[in-house]
Amino acid sequence: MTTAVTRPTGSGAPVRVLDESGRRVAGSPVLPPVEELLAGYRAMVAARRLNEQAGALVRQGRLAVYPSSHGQEACQVAAASVLAERDWLFPTYRDTAAIVARGVDPVEVLTLLHGDWHCGYDPVAHRVAPQATPLATQLPHAVGVAHAARLKGEDTVVMALCGDGATSEGDFHEAVNFAAVFTAPVVFLVQNNKYAISVPLARQSVAPSLAAKGVGYGVPGIQVDGNDLAALTLVLSDAVRRARTGGGPTLVEADTYRIQAHTNADDASRYRTDDEVLRWIPRDPLTRLRAYLVDEGALDAEGEAEITAAAEEMAARLRDGLGAEAVVDPMELFAHVTGHGGSQLAEQRELLRAELAADGTATR
């Protein structure tokens, strides 16, 4: 696809291809192929089921916490689908579905939130960085990987994900500025879900848009409907193509909404109303794309049943994989903390070893 969708920052409504009813918006760019959208719908159904199952696992005590991306599945799937195998994805704690859409085993992805290990998958093998819990700290790392690839003559592109709250952090400024100065092949995707935990967007920034922040760095910014998979695919594909061909970074702001609470430990009723949430339900990315695919004759009841069954099979594997009790070695707390250890870390390690020995607990 070569359709240009970039428009000047702050020029009006976000780029949209499909409206809430699944109809093509007049004057919108040409849609991606229907087969590509059908694959995206399949991935979004799996992402929604992943969010539901992970929430249930938290309630059962099998996960310590889970930040749901319910309502943001289009952002998750599009971010992963526009990347080539050689590219890198830098996710946040809320981007579990994007990592799974990238092809990583969901059981391995949720190992972090299960509390078994720092990261349950091989980042290098999958070209997916470990999930970052601190806001925006992964963004300079993403730019570093992109810059290194450029210096080595590779055509690697990095997709750096963050939320609206991350744009208020210094790491965001440093990352975008560095990427601009060194023409790093990185795409910044800001999932603007309207809240940084409990802080609404209006209390975070008075900029005309988060995409407008790119102006100060000389980086093109573009707003897109974050619940429209077709529009996201076009915008992010263009940004990836631009980065890969030496055009440098792009800042993309996806207009979306966090339907569920920040995490299972959050009481969202303290800072937003039920009516506000209900206003976003008709904008659901799954129902929008489903309506379009049905109207195009690309999805029928049989196809829907097959997609649902595949998602249920994934959920069953997730339950089985996280249901078994993990064999935990307390001494692993000290592994990979620093590259060369240190006397204080060694002292703490031996202290714990002695305490475990006194309790009769075997260690490696």
Side-chain angles (χ1 to χ4, degrees):
M1 293 174 293
T2 58
T3 304
V5 295
T6 303
R7 59 178 61 165
T9 299
S11 64
V15 174
R16 172 185 281 193
V17 177
L18 298 176
D19 64 17
E20 283 84 353
S21 62
R23 298 187 181 91
R24 183 179 174 187
V25 176
S28 64
V30 177
L31 274 75
V34 69
E35 296 82 5
E36 187 175 334
L37 292 177
L38 181 60
Y41 177 71
R42 176 187 295 272
M44 285 202 297
V45 170
R48 177 66 55 85
R49 188 65 186 90
L50 173 70
N51 283 316
E52 295 170 349
Q53 185 59 68
L57 290 170
V58 171
R59 294 189 292 273
Q60 296 166 11
R62 299 188 190 182
L63 287 180
V65 67
Y66 184 73
S68 175
S69 60
H70 184 119
Q72 299 177 219
E73 289 90 353
C75 296
Q76 303 278 296
V77 170
S81 67
V82 299
L83 296 177
E85 186 175 348
R86 62 189 179 279
D87 296 331
W88 274 84
L89 177 72
F90 273 72
T92 73
Y93 55 86
R94 197 177 300 282
D95 298 319
T96 300
I99 305 172
V100 174
R102 180 75 167 147
V104 184
D105 186 328
V107 176
E108 294 183 357
V109 179
L110 288 176
T111 294
L112 169 68
L113 300 176
H114 196 224
D116 291 348
W117 193 238
H118 306 296
C119 182
Y121 53 88
D122 184 339
V124 176
H126 295 288
R127 297 279 179 142
V128 178
Q131 287 179 275
T133 299
L135 292 191
T137 56
Q138 79 282 5
L139 300 181
H141 302 160
V143 175
V145 169
H147 182 51
R150 181 173 175 271
L151 291 177
K152 292 162 64 177
E154 301 172 352
D155 65 348
T156 301
V157 173
V158 176
M159 179 72 67
L161 307 182
C162 69
D164 46 293
T167 65
S168 301
E169 297 288 333
D171 290 286
F172 174 83
H173 156 78
E174 294 166 359
V176 180
N177 189 61
F178 190 102
V181 170
F182 291 94
T183 324
V186 58
V187 177
F188 297 97
L189 174 58
V190 180
Q191 297 176 72
N192 179 4
N193 63 18
K194 309 300 178 288
Y195 288 93
I197 305 183
S198 60
V199 181
L201 182 63
R203 298 297 300 273
Q204 300 178 55
S205 175
V206 294
S209 70
L210 297 179
K213 294 191 174 190
V215 173
Y217 308 102
V219 172
I222 181 170
Q223 295 173 274
V224 59
D225 186 332
N227 288 10
D228 181 352
L229 182 71
L232 280 160
T233 300
L234 292 173
V235 168
L236 292 176
S237 293
D238 278 356
V240 167
R241 186 181 305 108
R242 178 175 182 273
R244 200 181 306 281
T245 56
T250 302
L251 176 60
V252 178
E253 176 191 358
D255 180 40
T256 185
Y257 193 78
R258 191 191 75 213
I259 294 296
Q260 297 183 346
H262 176 69
T263 69
N264 57 292
D266 173 42
D267 180 6
S269 65
R270 298 181 64 181
Y271 55 84
R272 68 181 188 184
T273 66
D274 290 341
D275 287 343
E276 178 182 305
V277 178
L278 289 174
R279 286 197 297 271
W280 278 87
I281 297 299
R283 308 182 197 185
D284 187 286
L286 274 74
T287 56
R288 181 185 304 191
L289 185 56
R290 180 191 296 118
Y292 173 77
L293 293 171
V294 169
D295 189 58
E296 289 292 305
L299 181 66
D300 55 18
E302 183 179 354
E304 184 79 57
E306 188 275 328
I307 290 173
T308 301
E312 288 299 327
E313 182 181 347
M314 178 273 297
R317 293 199 311 272
L318 192 58
R319 292 193 298 271
D320 292 341
L322 295 177
E325 291 296 328
V327 179
V328 179
D329 180 5
M331 302 309 296
E332 289 182 344
L333 286 169
F334 303 96
H336 311 300
V337 176
T338 62
H340 303 288
S343 59
Q344 188 176 45
L345 194 64
E347 180 182 345
Q348 293 173 349
R349 182 175 59 247
E350 293 310 312
L351 178 62
L352 178 59
R353 192 190 302 277
E355 291 178 350
L356 292 173
D359 291 339
T361 304
T363 63
R364 293 198 295 268

